Amino acid sequence: MPHKIVSKRQLSQDIFTAEIEAPLIAQARSPGQFVIISINNQYAERIPLTIADADAGKGTIRLIWQRVGKTTAELADLQVGDEIANISGPLGRPTRIENFGTVVCVGGGIGSAPLLPIAKALKDAGNKIISIIGAQSKNLLILEDEFRRISDELIVTTDDGSYGRKALVTEPLKEVCQRKAKPDRAFAIGPAIMMKFCAEVTRQFDIPIQVSLNTIMVDGTGMCGGCRVEIDGKPKFVCVDGPEFDGHKVNFDLMIKRLNAYSSQEQQAYEHYKKFSRRRHGDGPGWTTDNG
Amino acid sequence: MRGDNITTEEQRRQLLEELFEKKKAGKLTPAERFKIPPQPMPEQDHNDRRHNVNEVALGCTETAARLEALRCLQCKNAPCIKGCPVQIRIKDFVAAIADGRYEEALDIIKENSLLPAVCGRVCPQEVQCQQTCTVGVKFKDPTKAVSIGRLERFVADHGLAPRVRGDKLAPAEAGAGTATDEGPGTSLAVAPQTGMRVAVIGSGPGGIVAAADTRRAGHDVTIFEAFHKPGGVMVYGIPEFRLPKAIVQKEIDTVTKMGVKIICNFIVGRTRTIEQLMNEDGYDAVYIGVGAGLPTFMGIEGESLIGVYSANEYLTRANLMRAYDFGKSSDTPIARPKKVAVIGGGNVAMDSARMAVRLGAEKVYLVYRRTENEMPARIEEVRHAKEEGVEFRILQSPKRIIGDENCHVVGIECLKYRLGDPDASGRRRPIPIEGSEFTIDLDAVIIAIGNVANPLIRQTTPALAFNKRGNIIVDEDCKTSMEGVYAGGDIVLGAATVILAMGQGRIAAAAINEYLARKKETAKQPTDRRLNI
């Protein structure tokens, strides 16, 4: 069953969002879960993407992705009406949603996308939501309006100061933690390095933090073990044990290194795609290099 | 009687004609059968095959197959059949091959096994049918038993591609080879629709058999597969060089031609739960054949380093995702280490080691803590691995994996082992020798020491009973603790083989057919009563 792209939008220079037909997943998914997609059955790789939102009535899911390599670039080149051959999910354990009291939600870059449905669900569960969303610069910031709608308080930061407050997200996070009414819980989703430092900040204040990890995966059902991370010194699989973990127990340094395991091949594939992508919108194999 | 110096195809043909005449006249003696030399399986040269993923064993010729079949003594007690997990009527199909009645031979196999082209290639025959073969016993050498697996493969391939082989002998030409494609082979006969629906979870060997057998009874059958391609372990696990994917696809086509539907990218437990399938989606029975699941790691230092892979990941990238074609026709990357150690002694370890050879490794070590005698791998895989240059390091096992400052693997520290008394598995227990540490320089480690049960079904099906190891508990009919739900294969047995999974798929299908027949009967009664009122 191929999945048709119903709508698609470019959110910033390298960030895209699309609404895609996937009725069963739309019905089954909960905040925090992800899918594995592969664009076609000929040559495509399988990549995990978090479900940003879903409309069970319409039978669609929303994905948000950043163009960082070949597959995400190819995905960005697809248009409304095009089809994605394979989407499987929803995968991973759903976020544990309950009324914790006050929750601070920290989203960095593209991480704001998977954070949004979690923040929404936490709000619906009666929590007070303080959201901190950050990006490198104004044109990379996403979902500000959406977060404003569901947050009791929203803090926006950019690394270069082109919008909102000039700071890394950890700065306002620390201030929020220092408040008299200390938050009861934190959620952070973003680049691994950001989550690492968010975990360190909250640790100082003894505030539990939940992080969502996006590692390399093949099957997404526990079979390959490529996604394994060290939690409290023990190996865990992000796909079946996660993707969310207690941020204070994650070995981020190792995880960051493991994310680069295939980086040279990924780079090679992306460079090749950029060079030949214009001729790729036919049915031909993805790697044709001949000039004929 | 010649026999000892048969080398050419022409000599084989002459010998076959001579022996076949004798057999027809009822004069072929067991002594003469013993004298027929075991027929060779042509193989790709080991220097060539190091550089490609094409199948290694090329398949024997028709003449060789019939000569091999004539080696069978047609024992009255047929110990081979007792050695077969699904009790194929081996001596009958072998006799049919000897006579050139290939279609009949294939039909005999298909009474009990739906995937002969697969099993002929991957079954561990030397510990099953060929272990008990009288010919092998007489020579005190299981490798001299009748090559039942090769004969199975021969006749299955003949059925899948009837006109490929050049050498034809009467009466073989007449009817050979269409059983799979058009029938009337047993596989395609389907009873009238019963209106009952069966969900099969997993499209591996067990699931395919369960689907085919329940479909034959007239039920509406759907297979749900988590991956984007059907075939399970036959597609993601066993490499192309041992089991070509085109062969697997043909076997799957047989099932879809029978009317079985296959839905890919469907993860039972996540996309829909078993309860939803039964209570909301109208499935009357379920077969769970989800396979092994989670790779086991050793629990030693350094296993999270970059360059340490589970065999599952390594082989899935290579097989399912065809990462060996990265940069040509595949986007999936794979590690291409120069020096790699594979830990383990089973078929998965051999597959990983031999795949590493093909991906350009200069040095491939197979590190195993017992000796070759205890290795669970098929003899043929061990031989092929050695021929391809894999270096066996027996009675050794890693104590820790060593990494550099960037968390990349640079070696393993090993301990030497000796064998003690037999353990629970009946194999002699490996005992580490204190102070025997040494290191091997490496840039990758592939861990192939087995799998544990995947927790997905357990997490999402509270009504189902599991044992301590996380395997589903079933009775002798493969029935689980949930009404209408049956299970088999690795999720029940732990690590098993293709043929054992198929055997359980068949048992479960028979039980499901019976269950649904009963269910239909009881469903009828209240309806009738209502009509009477």
Side-chain angles (χ1 to χ4, degrees):
Chain A
M1 282 181 300
H3 303 266
K4 194 176 276 181
I5 298 177
V6 178
S7 72
K8 188 195 152 204
R9 223 155 29 99
Q10 188 160 3
L11 296 178
S12 74
Q13 193 191 332
D14 282 316
I15 300 177
F16 299 82
T17 179
E19 212 183 341
I20 302 158
E21 281 177 3
L24 292 174
I25 299 171
Q27 208 183 338
R29 73 100 209 187
S30 300
Q33 291 187 298
F34 64 94
V35 289
I36 290 216
I37 71 152
S38 67
I39 294 177
N40 58 50
N41 280 319
Q42 289 84 52
Y43 58 83
E45 64 176 335
R46 294 166 63 96
I47 62 163
L49 290 173
T50 309
I51 304 167
D53 203 354
D55 185 331
K58 258 171 91 181
T60 57
I61 58 169
R62 174 171 296 286
L63 301 179
I64 301 184
W65 69 95
Q66 187 165 5
R67 184 163 55 190
V68 290
K70 190 201 163 182
T71 299
T72 46
E74 197 170 5
L75 199 55
D77 284 347
L78 294 179
Q79 303 303 327
V80 170
D82 286 348
E83 287 175 342
I84 294 171
N86 305 295
I87 303 185
S88 66
L91 295 162
R93 291 168 175 259
T95 309
R96 207 180 95 214
I97 302 289
E98 52 184 85
N99 191 345
F100 299 104
T102 301
V103 178
V104 54
C105 294
V106 188
I110 187 83
S112 298
L115 183 66
L116 182 64
I118 295 170
K120 239 189 226 173
L122 287 166
K123 176 72 184 169
D124 292 343
N127 290 285
K128 182 185 172 195
I129 305 292
I130 302 168
S131 298
I132 302 170
I133 59 170
Q136 279 173 337
S137 62
K138 187 185 176 189
N139 63 357
L140 289 172
L141 190 76
I142 56 169
L143 302 172
E144 184 191 352
D145 293 342
E146 286 83 349
F147 269 98
R148 196 171 300 283
R149 268 198 293 277
I150 56 143
S151 306
D152 295 275
E153 183 185 346
L154 174 69
I155 301 163
V156 178
T157 69
T158 52
D159 298 2
D160 62 2
S162 53
Y163 187 72
R165 180 169 160 189
K166 183 178 189 302
L168 298 173
V169 288
T170 40
E171 259 182 57
L173 174 63
K174 189 171 182 184
E175 291 159 16
V176 169
C177 292
Q178 281 166 332
R179 288 178 190 174
K180 215 185 217 161
K182 195 172 85 165
D184 299 286
R185 203 171 184 89
F187 281 78
I189 307 181
I193 188 81
M194 180 207 96
M195 292 191 282
K196 175 187 168 177
F197 285 105
C198 288
E200 282 181 11
V201 168
T202 51
R203 196 196 314 268
Q204 294 162 24
F205 299 92
D206 214 12
I207 297 168
I209 184 167
Q210 200 74 3
V211 295
S212 178
L213 308 182
N214 189 353
T215 51
I216 291 170
M217 287 184 193
V218 183
D219 65 298
T221 63
M223 201 209 63
C224 83
C227 64
R228 65 194 188 281
V229 288
E230 260 183 35
I231 306 294
D232 222 3
K234 293 189 191 70
K236 292 277 177 193
F237 290 3
V238 171
C239 65
V240 287
D241 299 318
E244 291 183 10
F245 293 97
D246 176 346
H248 293 155
K249 294 182 174 165
V250 177
N251 183 342
F252 282 107
D253 293 338
L254 184 62
M255 178 194 154
I256 288 165
K257 284 178 173 145
R258 281 185 66 84
L259 280 172
N260 293 319
Y262 296 98
S263 57
S264 69
Q265 289 179 77
E266 285 162 358
Q267 192 64 28
Q268 180 197 341
Y270 192 24
E271 290 306 320
H272 191 280
Y273 179 76
K274 282 193 276 195
K275 205 163 152 194
F276 293 97
S277 63
R278 232 177 291 150
R279 301 202 282 111
R280 301 249 342 220
H281 290 288
D283 303 334
W287 285 86
T288 310
T289 49
D290 59 333
N291 296 315
Chain B
M1 178 76 202
R2 295 154 303 163
D4 307 330
N5 51 353
I6 297 284
T7 48
T8 69
E9 192 62 14
E10 185 50 37
Q11 288 169 322
R12 269 194 208 110
R13 194 189 299 261
Q14 280 177 17
L15 177 62
L16 175 60
E17 273 170 21
E18 189 184 302
L19 294 173
F20 194 61
E21 282 309 311
K22 270 195 181 169
K23 182 179 173 283
K24 273 199 292 191
K27 286 180 183 161
L28 188 65
T29 64
E32 282 171 310
R33 290 184 188 258
F34 277 130
K35 276 192 200 153
I36 306 170
Q39 295 299 300
M41 169 64 97
E43 286 172 355
Q44 240 199 103
D45 179 78
H46 61 264
N47 287 318
D48 295 342
R49 69 187 197 233
R50 284 175 60 92
H51 307 292
N52 68 56
V53 293
N54 302 334
E55 192 170 18
V56 169
L58 301 171
C60 51
T61 62
E62 189 169 353
T63 320
R66 290 185 63 190
L67 272 178
E68 185 68 25
L70 282 174
R71 296 181 64 232
C72 171
L73 301 173
Q74 294 290 306
C75 311
K76 284 227 165 46
N77 62 344
C80 50
I81 302 181
K82 293 187 195 91
C84 173
V86 295
Q87 281 84 49
I88 293 173
R89 290 198 286 130
I90 291 167
K91 78 173 209 188
D92 296 338
F93 96 72
V94 172
I97 291 176
D99 291 349
R101 290 178 282 117
Y102 304 132
E103 188 179 349
E104 189 186 328
L106 190 56
D107 277 354
I108 292 169
I109 298 173
K110 288 205 169 183
E111 287 168 13
N112 298 62
S113 167
L114 200 74
L115 309 171
V118 174
C119 293
R121 288 172 166 83
V122 305
C123 258
Q125 289 95 2
E126 68 264 16
V127 294
Q128 297 176 355
C129 53
Q130 292 175 200
Q131 185 180 42
T132 51
C133 171
T134 313
V135 179
V137 172
K138 151 103 183 165
F139 284 115
K140 295 193 176 71
D141 180 355
T143 65
K144 291 214 169 98
V146 175
S147 290
I148 298 164
R150 291 175 186 175
L151 292 175
E152 182 183 23
R153 171 186 163 163
F154 166 77
V155 81
D157 286 359
H158 204 278
L160 290 171
R163 313 236 173 271
V164 172
R165 272 152 231 294
D167 56 337
K168 290 200 180 80
L169 281 165
E173 277 178 289
T178 49
T180 312
D181 289 321
E182 288 148 30
T186 45
S187 60
L188 290 182
V190 171
Q193 289 286 352
T194 60
M196 301 298 239
R197 303 182 73 200
V198 178
V200 172
I201 310 173
S203 63
I208 287 176
V209 170
D213 280 4
T214 48
R215 177 70 194 127
R216 273 193 252 220
H219 306 308
D220 181 355
V221 182
T222 306
I223 299 179
F224 297 99
E225 167 56 44
F227 268 130
H228 58 285
K229 279 182 201 160
V233 72
M234 301 182 288
V235 168
Y236 72 73
I238 304 174
E240 179 78 16
F241 55 78
R242 202 148 76 81
L243 179 61
K245 301 311 149 213
I247 297 278
V248 179
Q249 190 54 50
K250 280 183 180 163
E251 301 277 35
I252 290 167
D253 290 345
T254 311
V255 182
T256 49
K257 274 187 207 151
M258 293 168 70
V260 171
K261 290 175 283 253
I262 302 182
I263 300 180
C264 289
N265 300 307
F266 194 109
I267 297 150
V268 174
R270 289 274 181 240
T271 314
R272 302 287 283 166
T273 62
I274 290 175
E275 272 103 347
Q276 285 174 319
L277 289 175
M278 298 188 86
N279 302 336
E280 297 170 30
D281 302 342
Y283 287 95
D284 300 286
V286 172
Y287 176 76
I288 305 172
V290 295
L294 257 60
T296 307
F297 289 91
M298 285 183 291
I300 59 172
E301 182 189 325
E303 274 183 308
S304 296
L305 292 168
I306 300 167
V308 182
Y309 305 92
S310 73
N312 288 4
E313 178 182 0
Y314 187 71
L315 290 175
T316 302
R317 285 179 181 273
N319 301 333
L320 177 76
M321 307 308 294
R322 292 184 300 101
Y324 47 76
D325 275 337
F326 179 82
K328 293 200 278 287
S329 58
S330 169
D331 281 353
T332 304
I334 191 163
R336 287 178 179 265
K338 290 290 163 218
K339 283 178 287 180
V340 54
V342 177
I343 317 297
N347 288 320
V348 175
M350 299 302 152
D351 288 344
S352 304
R354 297 173 64 198
M355 185 59 82
V357 168
R358 283 159 176 77
L359 287 171
E362 286 154 12
K363 200 82 216 170
V364 180
Y365 303 101
L366 189 116
V367 181
Y368 183 57
R369 59 191 188 140
R370 305 187 214 229
T371 73
E372 221 175 293
N373 289 330
E374 287 80 22
M375 277 186 187
R378 297 175 78 222
I379 292 173
E380 189 177 71
E381 313 312 329
V382 171
R383 176 171 63 79
H384 283 161
K386 284 182 173 171
E387 284 171 1
E388 289 163 13
V390 174
E391 186 178 323
F392 281 46
R393 307 293 289 266
I394 54 158
L395 292 170
Q396 299 176 8
S397 188
K399 190 181 161 192
R400 67 182 179 105
I401 303 170
I402 307 161
D404 65 12
E405 65 283 0
N406 293 316
C407 294
H408 284 271
V409 169
V410 294
I412 49 176
E413 185 181 39
C414 286
L415 272 174
K416 290 185 179 162
Y417 281 67
R418 63 182 175 82
L419 289 184
D421 296 329
D423 63 10
S425 74
R427 295 177 298 175
R428 293 182 62 192
R429 188 192 308 272
I431 300 166
I433 300 169
E434 243 177 86
S436 64
E437 285 89 346
F438 66 98
T439 58
I440 306 175
D441 291 344
L442 297 169
D443 36 33
V445 179
I446 299 167
I447 298 175
I449 57 167
N451 286 282
V452 290
N454 192 308
L456 197 57
I457 297 284
R458 193 179 59 209
Q459 284 170 3
T460 55
T461 321
L464 207 55
F466 290 81
N467 69 16
K468 269 188 292 193
R469 291 188 307 276
N471 296 112
I472 299 175
I473 298 172
V474 299
D475 67 10
E476 66 275 16
D477 288 331
C478 291
K479 186 182 176 325
T480 70
S481 58
M482 263 174 95
E483 175 165 346
V485 179
Y486 297 75
D490 281 6
I491 191 66
V492 168
L493 300 167
T497 56
V498 166
I499 189 74
L500 283 171
M502 280 179 46
Q504 289 210 307
R506 167 139 293 183
I507 292 166
I512 289 172
N513 289 339
E514 219 175 276
Y515 167 75
L516 291 181
R518 274 202 317 275
K519 189 172 173 180
K520 210 177 168 192
E521 272 313 302
T522 47
K524 251 187 214 159
Q525 285 158 4
T527 319
D528 290 349
R529 241 177 272 138
R530 253 204 314 279
L531 285 174
N532 289 338
I533 294 164

